Amino acid sequence: MSALLTIRSRRDQMSAIERRIADFVLDNANLLRDYSSQQLANALGVSQSSVVKFCQKLGFKGYPDLKYSVGEDIARADNGDEPPATSAPEHPADAMAAELWRRKSAAEEETRSINPPGTIAAVAAAITLAGEGGKVFLIGLGDDDIRARALALRLSLLGILTVHNFDPAHMAASVSAACTGDVLMVFSEHGKPPPLCYIARCFRERGGTVVSVTRHTSNPLRAYADIALLVSAHDEEVHIQPLLYQAAAQHLMDRVFVRLCEGGRDQQLRENLERLQPMLEP
């Protein structure tokens, strides 16, 4: 495994100081050759021994060994070469993981092709408008609530007021406070639950914009939407198909989030993340 890939794969298990060193190495790999261990320590405000221990914990003899390995990674990337393969045969679990990733990638590519940049821009514009004094309502049932909840948190970090609920009755009551310019995002894989269709219809009657996130099929919920985001994820194996849908749908929401950040709300995101960081650090 390459040095950079090793650092990425083990970052979540690192201490706060180790993560600081890891992030610097990952973000400045091309510049690492110009840094001694002491210079790196000074740049990060840590001790030189912390840098050495970081390298040794990853399996390197020391900082020079890590720097040399990172340099090899960069050289291989510049030459378009893959990391050298081992002589051992591929483990069945690795083959399964690679095949699952291939299927997820195919589902994401299909989903991207049916949601052109203009559609993503329209959703981002509606959310941006709602964020200027209005609200964004989000609802999903079952597994769909995972994506609704995640997006609600991200929008909140961008300074956008969100109303998230997984209970249709409570959401129906909340919708009574909707105004023109507000946005309702409804997550439903098959787009058929009558309560969600009812909520969407009521929301439109109050002058709001409805955005549906469903499969690429004809469904009642999609018919109520002003903007329809579509997910294409199909597989013959019943245990694989939901995984493909979840991956493609999440990537679709990530595209919307990135568009919002690029629209000028990235500074608000940084400020909120800094404010929350003391609560998240051990």
Side-chain angles (χ1 to χ4, degrees):
M1 185 181 295
S2 72
L4 296 177
L5 184 56
T6 298
I7 294 173
R8 289 192 188 96
S9 64
R10 297 178 59 177
R11 184 187 180 282
D12 291 343
Q13 288 77 47
M14 296 179 182
S15 66
I17 291 178
E18 291 169 344
R19 287 198 299 270
R20 195 186 311 170
I21 300 173
D23 290 342
F24 183 90
V25 173
L26 293 172
D27 294 340
N28 303 278
N30 288 311
L31 305 177
L32 201 63
R33 64 179 181 273
D34 299 325
Y35 281 80
S36 67
S37 59
Q38 185 60 63
Q39 289 172 325
L40 177 59
N42 292 341
L44 295 174
V46 301
S47 65
Q48 185 180 20
S49 63
S50 295
V51 174
V52 175
K53 290 178 182 178
F54 168 82
C55 300
Q56 294 173 340
K57 190 173 180 178
L58 291 173
F60 299 98
K61 295 178 182 179
Y63 178 73
D65 188 22
L66 170 66
K67 185 161 66 170
Y68 177 78
S69 297
V70 170
E72 284 193 324
D73 290 349
I74 295 172
R76 281 195 295 267
D78 290 341
N79 294 330
D81 297 332
E82 294 293 330
T86 61
S87 57
E90 186 177 23
H91 192 281
D94 292 335
M96 178 193 67
E99 175 60 17
L100 179 59
W101 180 255
R102 185 193 67 76
R103 296 184 191 184
K104 285 184 176 181
S105 298
E108 186 281 321
E109 184 176 355
E110 292 176 7
T111 298
R112 180 157 30 99
S113 68
I114 59 177
N115 295 277
T119 302
I120 302 300
V123 174
I127 293 175
T128 299
L129 181 62
E132 299 173 355
K135 304 173 288 299
V136 177
F137 297 74
L138 304 100
I139 186 172
L141 306 181
D143 286 347
D144 290 305
D145 178 58
I146 297 174
R147 283 167 289 282
R149 184 185 300 271
L151 185 59
L153 174 59
R154 289 182 174 180
L155 295 183
S156 296
L157 290 173
L158 294 179
I160 297 173
L161 179 60
T162 62
V163 180
H164 165 256
N165 213 312
F166 59 86
D167 185 334
H170 286 177
M171 182 56 83
S174 299
V175 164
S176 64
C179 304
T180 301
D182 286 350
V183 171
L184 169 67
M185 297 198 65
V186 190
F187 296 78
S188 177
E189 179 174 355
H190 300 288
K192 295 180 179 179
L196 296 185
C197 295
Y198 174 77
I199 291 171
R201 179 166 59 83
C202 292
F203 197 85
R204 289 192 65 177
E205 290 174 353
R206 299 194 65 84
T209 300
V210 176
V211 178
S212 66
V213 184
T214 70
R215 279 192 173 275
H216 187 208
T217 59
S218 297
N219 58 74
L221 184 58
R222 181 178 173 184
Y224 283 109
D226 297 288
I227 307 173
L229 293 176
L230 307 171
V231 180
S232 178
H234 308 282
D235 198 275
E236 294 180 356
E237 298 187 65
V238 66
H239 63 290
I240 296 294
Q241 183 162 279
L243 304 181
L244 304 187
Y245 180 86
Q246 292 165 19
Q250 184 57 60
H251 190 79
L252 184 59
M253 292 303 99
D254 290 345
R255 290 175 63 192
V256 173
F257 177 72
V258 170
R259 184 64 184 249
L260 288 167
C261 291
E262 293 176 345
R265 290 185 174 270
D266 54 323
Q267 181 60 37
Q268 181 71 59
L269 175 64
R270 283 193 289 268
E271 292 175 359
N272 284 332
L273 288 176
E274 289 178 3
R275 189 176 298 112
L276 291 174
Q277 193 59 36
M279 300 172 56
L280 304 177
E281 290 182 348

